Amino acid sequence: MQETIRNIKKVYQYGRAYKKNLIMLVIACISGTIVGVIIPLLTARQIVYFTSNMWIQLLSMSLIIFLAEAYKSFAAYFFTRKNNQHFTRNTMKNLQVALGDEILKISQKELDTNSSGMFIQRITNDTLKMTAFFWDSLNCLMRIFTNIGALFATFIINKPVFLYYLFVTIVLTYLHLVKTKKFGNKDIEFRNKTEKVSSLTGELVRGVRDIKMLNAKNNFMSILEDNIDTQNQKRIEMSEINGKYTFGIEFLRAVFEFGLVVLLIFLIQNQGLQMALAIALFNYKSGIMNVIMEKFSAFMQLIKDFNISCNRVFSILDNTTFEKETFGNKNLETLKGNLEFKNVNFEYIKDNPVLKDLSFKIQAGEMIGFVGKSGAGKTTIFNLICKMYNIKSGKILIENIDINELDEPSIRKNITIISQNPYIFNLSIRDNLKLVKDDLTDEQMHEACRIACLEDFINTLPNKYDTILGEGGVILSGGQKQRLAIARAFVQKTKIILFDESTSNLDNETQSEIQKAINNLKEKSTILIIAHRLSTIINCDKILLLENGKIVDQGTHEELLNRNISYQTLYKTEILE
Ligand code: ADP
């Protein structure tokens, strides 16, 4: 109970601005409930007038009942619907935006080990459950109270029948509570499985090309099928419990109905109960026996669902489960581009070092190549320069300032990674560039695309700069994506560019255009390249040779080629291939 109240208060914080709608909703519910409680009482009096042949009173009572019913419908359809939509939708939006914000702050380490489906479910499904709870629970309570009104009506008409109904209500409600308890953690397990399935279906859609190319359709589908099976298993277990109890409850209800008929016959024969009143009392049975206990157990289930969703969402919003990125307070509006690693040690997994006592220094405006076998730690160095992960020991200095002291914009606005397959958004070329500079002018856009050697290509497109690029930039080739990312970096005027050269077989023309684009950025920015090609390596001011997370040698291409045997081997076996 305490947990629920605490969660209601927390969710309310996100819907505070729509307080008026919530108040109107509560007023509509309370007034609807009061009317709903009064109607059966009035109906009881109506029956008394009818059986006593009091026709004038009967007529006026019927009119009052009609007006009360009309108000109930009006409150339900106009007041509640409008205010509920306003409150629920806007509170949900605020929660979703806050969640999105927090997810963007979660550390890369946590993102690596958690599935995207989990986050998607929490943003969509859980926020909906949390906000819909307000109306759903009010609705449940409204029904419960309305039927308690019917119970009171029986109290006015006939005490023994009232006592019988009360006894039945208590027994059936108790059974429903036991059923909810039996469910235990099954619904939490079911939701966790649902997250897994949603994550896999996400991967199916995103990875459809690779799944086809790898001829992995059957294997992937069998993994998905297994997960859907376990998800279904949980659902079946829940439905079995539900089925067992529903059968028991239905059976008891039939017994109680039979008991009611016996009681009514007894009362008619021995206590002089009028037939019309007996029929009215009998007619209350469905409302009292079904709705109160069903709505009560639905209400309990709603509370449980609400709390599960709140725990899942607030574990992100309140920083209780997921480690967030941390930054310092120092702000550097612009950088020159000086960078240094001082005895850096780093590991993704405990006691599994990836970078070992790594030190190097790069001057602003230099173009540096990183070469080494796959797995040597090149991409890791780039990730650390962007502060995607925290180092174990040592120091990373940008403009001689420890990266841990810098605030987020100083790092993320001034450093760009251009990966082998940069993510291009399903927007136009113009909007992809505007993402990093919202006041981008046409001139700046043209200049960026000229520098990135993209202009000629864009001019061949039917809608030129307004061409929509498809999900992940699907209409672009690998080289074009990289060049668009170069244009993005140019627009952003980042001072440190980290370029992961594509290992795929780009044709010579594309390759030389990328090379030209990179050269166009030379001297404007410090450029670090994970280099795979001769043309790139020759252009670098310095090359760092990496082996098992250590720099084993550094110098120009000629120097390394003359003196370093592993560089010669690498150069012959990998780079030239
Ligand atoms: P390179 O770019 O030189 O091919 P990486 O920097 O990508 O090498 O990887 C260095 C080592 O770190 C590899 O052994 C790799 O398996 C491991 N690694 C890379 N990324 C992760 C990660 N997110 N979690 C755990 N290990 C990782």
Side-chain angles (χ1 to χ4, degrees):
M1 191 64 188
Q2 263 179 345
E3 184 192 10
T4 313
I5 293 172
R6 200 174 55 238
N7 283 333
I8 289 176
K9 279 187 189 161
K10 277 164 96 175
V11 177
Y12 172 71
Q13 295 305 318
Y14 292 85
R16 253 185 127 91
Y18 310 96
K19 190 159 86 181
K20 238 166 75 186
N21 294 111
L22 186 63
I23 292 172
M24 293 293 279
L25 188 64
V26 172
I27 290 175
C29 282
I30 292 176
S31 60
T33 310
I34 292 173
V35 173
V37 170
I38 289 172
I39 288 173
L41 299 175
L42 298 180
T43 317
R45 294 246 44 95
Q46 190 187 28
I47 293 165
V48 173
Y49 293 145
F50 179 69
T51 49
S52 320
N53 296 337
M54 297 162 80
W55 303 117
I56 304 280
Q57 287 89 335
L58 177 66
L59 202 65
S60 30
M61 187 52 79
S62 302
L63 189 68
I64 293 172
I65 292 174
F66 166 75
L67 290 174
E69 291 279 10
Y71 173 76
K72 221 176 108 186
S73 312
F74 175 78
Y77 284 101
F78 293 99
F79 265 155
T80 50
R81 192 178 289 185
K82 187 171 151 248
N83 288 302
N84 172 36
Q85 284 300 328
H86 263 279
F87 179 78
T88 306
R89 292 288 142 195
N90 287 312
T91 310
M92 186 170 157
K93 183 196 84 184
N94 288 348
L95 267 169
Q96 289 178 319
V97 170
L99 255 183
D101 252 7
E102 289 305 313
I103 290 170
L104 285 173
K105 288 181 200 157
I106 291 177
S107 76
Q108 192 59 40
K109 203 170 155 193
E110 293 277 3
L111 295 174
D112 288 349
T113 48
N114 285 291
S115 76
S116 57
M118 186 255 299
F119 293 112
I120 293 169
Q121 283 285 319
R122 290 182 194 201
I123 293 186
T124 52
N125 210 1
D126 286 315
T127 53
L128 180 64
K129 279 196 181 321
M130 285 160 76
T131 47
F133 172 77
F134 285 79
W135 165 240
D136 290 345
S137 57
L138 275 172
N139 195 17
C140 258
L141 285 175
M142 205 163 84
R143 295 283 194 94
I144 292 172
F145 282 116
T146 308
N147 282 289
I148 288 176
L151 204 60
F152 268 114
T154 62
F155 177 77
I156 293 175
I157 300 172
N158 188 287
K159 307 282 181 299
V161 175
F162 162 73
L163 286 175
Y164 183 74
Y165 272 142
L166 191 63
F167 167 71
V168 171
T169 305
I170 291 171
V171 172
L172 294 181
T173 306
Y174 172 75
L175 281 177
H176 266 283
L177 284 180
V178 174
K179 183 184 91 177
T180 312
K181 212 166 175 188
K182 275 270 165 192
F183 258 42
N185 286 334
K186 293 227 165 6
D187 35 8
I188 301 180
E189 288 165 18
F190 172 70
R191 289 229 225 155
N192 288 342
K193 273 289 143 199
T194 309
E195 276 182 354
K196 181 78 194 152
V197 170
S198 132
S199 155
L200 279 170
T201 40
E203 281 189 76
L204 173 95
V205 177
R206 281 193 302 274
V208 66
R209 274 173 179 227
D210 295 77
I211 294 171
K212 279 190 204 167
M213 300 298 188
L214 292 166
N215 195 25
K217 273 190 205 172
N218 291 345
N219 289 345
F220 189 87
M221 287 317 292
S222 106
I223 296 174
L224 181 62
E225 227 179 295
D226 285 351
N227 276 278
I228 295 177
D229 280 345
T230 9
Q231 182 198 24
N232 284 347
Q233 189 52 39
K234 292 284 157 217
R235 203 196 280 272
I236 289 167
E237 283 170 21
M238 282 161 72
S239 125
E240 267 171 15
I241 295 176
N242 208 7
K244 248 192 239 163
Y245 275 84
T246 308
F247 174 76
I249 287 168
E250 286 303 317
F251 177 74
L252 259 184
R253 191 152 55 201
V255 172
F256 284 140
E257 277 188 26
F258 179 70
L260 179 67
V261 173
V262 173
L263 177 67
L264 286 174
I265 292 173
F266 172 80
L267 291 173
I268 291 168
Q269 290 193 342
N270 297 307
Q271 311 268 314
L273 177 66
Q274 291 172 347
M275 187 56 88
L277 286 182
I279 293 171
L281 287 167
F282 186 75
N283 282 342
Y284 282 134
K285 86 173 175 351
S286 58
I288 295 171
M289 282 196 194
N290 291 334
V291 183
I292 294 188
M293 53 144 185
E294 268 167 26
K295 287 291 159 195
F296 192 75
S297 82
F299 182 61
M300 297 307 283
Q301 190 56 41
L302 271 177
I303 289 183
K304 201 169 165 199
D305 270 355
F306 172 72
N307 285 330
I308 296 174
S309 289
C310 283
N311 290 342
R312 288 148 57 100
V313 166
F314 287 124
S315 74
I316 297 175
L317 290 177
D318 297 346
N319 290 338
T320 51
T321 315
F322 300 101
E323 190 189 296
K324 299 278 168 74
E325 287 186 308
T326 49
F327 294 95
N329 301 321
K330 259 194 195 143
N331 182 268
L332 281 177
E333 197 48 48
T334 50
L335 307 179
K336 286 198 188 86
N338 293 302
L339 182 72
E340 187 177 358
F341 270 47
K342 259 187 179 171
N343 310 100
V344 170
N345 285 291
F346 173 75
E347 56 195 26
Y348 290 103
I349 301 161
K350 205 168 171 349
D351 298 329
N352 207 343
V354 171
L355 299 184
K356 299 157 198 161
D357 204 29
L358 194 75
S359 299
F360 61 85
K361 200 168 176 175
I362 294 167
Q363 303 291 342
E366 278 185 328
M367 181 143 111
I368 305 293
F370 287 81
V371 293
K373 284 189 186 148
S374 168
K378 304 179 293 290
T379 312
T380 304
I381 294 177
F382 279 18
N383 287 337
L384 295 184
I385 297 173
C386 292
K387 206 165 189 271
M388 291 296 202
Y389 301 89
N390 289 322
I391 55 176
K392 189 177 171 196
S393 65
K395 265 189 182 157
I396 298 176
L397 303 166
I398 294 175
E399 300 309 332
N400 241 344
I401 302 172
D402 190 331
I403 196 168
N404 291 328
E405 291 175 22
L406 292 175
D407 65 2
E408 188 177 6
S410 302
I411 300 169
R412 303 278 157 85
K413 261 168 87 177
N414 288 308
I415 303 171
T416 305
I417 286 195
I418 301 172
S419 68
Q420 288 205 11
N421 189 14
Y423 196 83
I424 304 295
F425 295 88
N426 191 6
L427 300 167
S428 65
I429 295 173
R430 184 188 303 278
D431 288 339
N432 261 287
L433 295 176
K434 276 191 165 186
L435 271 182
V436 291
K437 190 177 191 323
D438 51 10
D439 58 350
L440 181 75
T441 64
D442 274 7
E443 264 167 37
Q444 290 166 333
M445 177 174 74
H446 291 151
E447 189 192 3
C449 292
R450 194 168 50 249
I451 297 263
C453 302
L454 262 182
E455 220 179 17
D456 292 345
F457 163 70
I458 293 171
N459 284 331
T460 64
L461 295 170
N463 292 323
K464 310 257 182 316
Y465 287 87
D466 294 310
T467 307
I468 306 285
L469 298 173
E471 200 168 290
V474 71
I475 72 160
L476 302 178
S477 70
Q480 285 158 351
K481 279 190 211 171
Q482 278 205 322
R483 280 183 281 151
L484 187 58
I486 292 172
R488 222 158 45 182
F490 180 79
V491 165
Q492 217 176 351
K493 300 257 175 284
T494 48
K495 280 297 176 189
I496 299 177
I497 295 175
L498 313 174
F499 185 73
D500 191 352
E501 191 175 49
S502 176
T503 45
S504 60
N505 284 329
L506 299 176
D507 59 63
N508 282 341
E509 200 181 323
T510 308
Q511 177 52 36
S512 77
E513 294 213 306
I514 291 181
Q515 196 60 56
K516 236 162 71 191
I518 289 284
N519 284 343
N520 285 341
L521 294 178
K522 213 176 160 188
E523 278 147 29
K524 294 185 187 71
S525 307
T526 305
I527 302 174
L528 277 59
I529 306 182
I530 297 178
H532 301 283
R533 283 167 220 282
L534 179 62
S535 51
T536 314
I537 286 171
I538 287 174
N539 275 316
C540 287
D541 298 317
K542 190 162 66 179
I543 296 159
L544 306 184
L545 176 62
L546 243 86
E547 259 170 39
N548 294 324
K550 280 186 173 167
I551 291 176
V552 287
D553 205 349
Q554 49 184 299
T556 61
H557 171 61
E558 273 74 28
E559 285 166 358
L560 292 181
L561 204 56
N562 284 336
R563 69 167 178 243
N564 193 302
I565 295 173
S566 44
Y567 183 78
Q568 287 165 6
T569 322
L570 196 70
Y571 171 68
K572 280 184 199 137
T573 54
E574 289 196 14
I575 297 170
L576 277 184
E577 269 175 9

